[in-house]
């Protein structure tokens, strides 16, 4: 699931025309916010909407705000865990 989410995230970033050339390779240690991909709040919303559209996993305002402090790997792991919980019928937070 994590690999599928990674493709979705990187595709979303490319579609939003973020210039990632200076970063070199985007790894799990790359921050989504400052000092990394530097995604703005609207980009975080767009990313969360893509995940919701593709996987049916909603994000509330607090989760979107926390995304700015996460690395790509943390976001992928958190989202994969929330998806697994949702599939098991556990309410996601």
């Amino acid at each position: 699931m994590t690999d599928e989410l990674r493709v979705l995230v990187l595709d979303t970033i490319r579609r939003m025309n973020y210039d990632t050339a200076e970063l070199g390779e985007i790894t799990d240690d790359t921050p989504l916010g400052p000092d990394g991909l530097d995604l703005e709040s609207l980009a975080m919303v767009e990313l969360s909407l893509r995940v919701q559209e593709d996987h049916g996993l909603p994000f509330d305002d607090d989760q979107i705000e926390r995304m700015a402090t996460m690395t790509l790997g943390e976001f992928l792991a958190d989202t994969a865990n929330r998806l697994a919980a949702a599939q098991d019928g556990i309410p996601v937070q």
Side-chain angles (χ1 to χ4, degrees):
M1 176 60 66
T2 304
D3 290 337
E4 183 180 334
L5 288 170
R6 182 184 320 281
V7 169
L8 176 69
V9 169
L10 296 177
D11 180 59
T12 301
I13 292 167
R14 282 187 207 97
R15 287 180 182 211
M16 291 186 291
N17 295 319
Y18 269 84
D19 182 12
T20 59
E22 291 180 16
L23 293 174
E25 182 181 1
I26 298 172
T27 68
D28 283 350
D29 294 328
T30 303
L32 295 178
D35 298 324
L37 293 171
D38 204 21
L39 300 181
E40 298 170 350
S41 59
L42 288 177
M44 300 289 186
V45 170
E46 175 67 23
L47 182 55
S48 68
L49 288 174
R50 288 281 314 270
V51 172
Q52 184 171 351
E53 288 172 2
D54 285 15
H55 298 284
L57 182 68
F59 287 77
D60 64 25
D61 291 341
D62 290 336
Q63 291 160 334
I64 294 170
E65 190 174 311
R66 274 188 319 166
M67 288 168 57
T69 65
M70 294 179 165
T71 64
L72 175 59
E74 291 168 338
F75 174 74
L76 296 174
D78 181 67
T79 303
N81 289 336
R82 292 179 58 228
L83 282 169
Q87 291 172 350
D88 290 340
I90 300 169
V92 293
Q93 297 187 24

